[in-house]
């Protein structure tokens, strides 16, 4: 089955950058889409960015312009480049794999999504 492992999280000051990585293994041929979601303490999970097999990318409006999703097929890795980070970006970030993609998928992730374990990103002075 699909396994997703995030890395690259940590602490950064406001205005700084981080790059998250999500390495996938298993039956990933079944997945049409990979993406990133996040959940801050006391808040609901929200979508961040998605990328499909053709490298078509989608972003939640509030993330557009600061975050960039990409993938390296040879390394089975999905990246999330995060720039101009703000304190409100502090959250646990989850990698996900799914069978549909786009902004709708980010807004309403299906129950059959596969999820990574999550990784902490903290933005503070």
């Amino acid at each position: 089955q699909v396994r997703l492992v995030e890395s690259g999280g940590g602490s950064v000051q406001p205005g700084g950058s981080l790059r998250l990585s999500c390495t996938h293994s298993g039956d990933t041929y079944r997945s049409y889409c990979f993406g990133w979601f996040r959940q801050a303490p006391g808040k609901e999970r929200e979508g961040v960015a998605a990328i499909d097999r053709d490298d078509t990318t989608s972003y939640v409006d509030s993330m557009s312009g600061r975050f960039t999703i990409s993938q390296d097929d040879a390394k089975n890795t999905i990246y999330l480049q995060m720039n101009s980070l703000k304190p409100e970006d502090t959250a646990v970030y989850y990698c996900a794999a799914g069978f549909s993609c786009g902004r709708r998928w980010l807004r309403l992730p299906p129950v059959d999504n596969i999820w990574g374990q999550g990784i902490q990103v903290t933005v503070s002075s």
Side-chain angles (χ1 to χ4, degrees), residues 80-96:
L80 183 67
Q81 179 67 47
M82 304 185 293
N83 299 324
S84 301
L85 284 163
K86 306 173 181 179
E88 51 264 44
D89 295 319
T90 295
V92 176
Y93 284 70
Y94 297 91
C95 184

Side-chain angles (χ1 to χ4, degrees), residues 20-124:
L20 304 182
S21 298
C22 171
T23 299
H24 56 87
S25 60
D27 296 334
T28 53
Y29 69 91
R30 297 179 180 271
S31 299
Y32 178 75
C33 180
F34 293 94
W36 293 92
F37 296 74
R38 69 185 187 184
Q39 187 167 23
K43 297 183 178 180
E44 295 184 355
R45 179 186 60 196
E46 63 176 344
V48 177
I51 186 166
D52 70 13
R53 293 186 182 276
D54 298 321
D55 288 335
T56 298
T57 59
S58 302
Y59 300 91
V60 172
D61 289 343
S62 61
M63 317 298 170
S64 182
R66 297 190 299 120
F67 291 8
T68 302
I69 190 170
S70 61
Q71 63 188 343
D72 186 331
D73 292 338
K75 296 182 178 180
N76 295 130
T77 301
I78 313 301
Y79 302 99
L80 183 67
Q81 179 67 47
M82 304 185 293
N83 299 324
S84 301
L85 284 163
K86 306 173 181 179
E88 51 264 44
D89 295 319
T90 295
V92 176
Y93 284 70
Y94 297 91
C95 184
F99 305 98
S100 59
C101 214
R103 284 170 285 182
R104 177 180 292 183
W105 182 76
L106 289 171
R107 292 185 61 196
L108 299 170
V111 296
D112 59 355
N113 275 5
I114 305 300
W115 299 92
Q117 79 284 357
I119 190 165
Q120 180 70 45
V121 170
T122 301
V123 184
S124 67

Side-chain angles (χ1 to χ4, degrees), residues 2-24:
V2 175
R3 292 189 65 238
L4 304 171
V5 180
E6 302 97 335
S7 62
S11 297
V12 66
Q13 64 185 8
S17 298
L18 285 174
R19 188 179 72 165
L20 304 182
S21 298
C22 171
T23 299
H24 56 87

